Amino acid sequence: MSIVSDRPEATAVPEAATAPRATAAPEDAATPQLPITPLGPGFGAEIHGIDLARLDDDQVLALREALVRHKVLFVRGQDTLDDAAQIEFGRRLGEVTVGHPVHDSGDVAPEVYSLDSQDNGFADVWHTDVTFVERPPAISVLRAVVLPPTGGDTNWADSQLAYESLSPGLRAHIDTLTAVHDGSREFGYYLAQRRKGRGNLWEGEVFTELKPVEHPVVRVHPESGRKGLFVNPGFTSHIVGVSEHESRGLLDILYAHLTKPEHVVRHRWQRGDVALWDNRSTAHYANRDYGDQHRVMHRITLRGDTPVGPAGARPATGGA
């Protein structure tokens, strides 16, 4: 079902909604202009009673700060938001990229990546968006366009909490490691066959091939300074400098730990929902449990920076 507005437009945040909630973490009291309800001690939050298309500058700043702190935010009641308003909202948060380096989403704005279940638009593998480029996106903003009657939930994993709950010895070891991220496993055939070897303009260059890149296994968040796992089953191919057996063993351990239930928040989509997440501190997975029902989600991404590991060095690109 397509999202159709049956609600009056919000013109301001109700006064009662701006008061800090009793369930809010103490630091949320400093941003009363956003009615934030945390979903857990340090990961995930819901926001009600705001209109993303009508935020003032202080609210935008507070939203960005809340996103770094909570890592994924779910904003309800955005029924009137369309692609143009979603892009404009993204521009207030940061620099909007094209929708995807390779994928052609058809008759939508170039900034939009359309995930359409009728065009193989699934995301049912744990991944972090577009880590197969040198500067993966910092933030993603996803809007529900068509929802199945049931199913189609999305799960997010907190990569910082996952890292911090590893044993000290394992943390010390993976702090020194680098991994290769390769987009060809997911998009190589699509680029060669569907796009005839010519993708989209990304960071000033047209994508004509998917070259593997290296990123640190542990990423230091450029704003919070917290460490988090920066490997994912969708795009990470192997760890550099170890045997294939050791690489697979380490990655399997990290993936299993990253996606433990206590590190995961699950969102059941409703009409008018928008999700924002910090790509630098999360991974996500979209449930493919709705059969042949139609599901369409529109995503935009904000330009990020080159991932940096605990040692401060940036890995060389072009890893094999």
Side-chain angles (χ1 to χ4, degrees), residues 20 23 34 50 56 64 99 102 114 172 229 236 263 304:
T23 56
L34 290 181
I50 65 171
D56 61 35
R64 177 72 187 243
V102 172
S114 179
L229 300 179
T236 304
H263 302 153

Side-chain angles (χ1 to χ4, degrees), residues 127-132 136-137 140 232 235 277 279 282 284 299 301:
H127 67 286
T128 298
D129 287 334
V130 200
T131 61
F132 54 87
S140 298
N232 68 88
F235 300 122
W277 64 92
N279 225 31
T282 60
H284 56 282
R299 190 198 75 189
T301 50

Side-chain angles (χ1 to χ4, degrees), residues 294-319:
H294 198 194
R295 182 180 187 270
V296 181
M297 314 295 281
H298 281 186
R299 190 198 75 189
I300 64 169
T301 50
L302 306 186
R303 189 170 188 254
D305 52 8
T306 303
V308 175
R314 297 176 174 180
T317 60

Side-chain angles (χ1 to χ4, degrees), residues 24 37 104 131 146 151 154 165 241 243:
T37 303
D104 179 7
T131 61
V146 179
T154 306
S165 59
S243 69

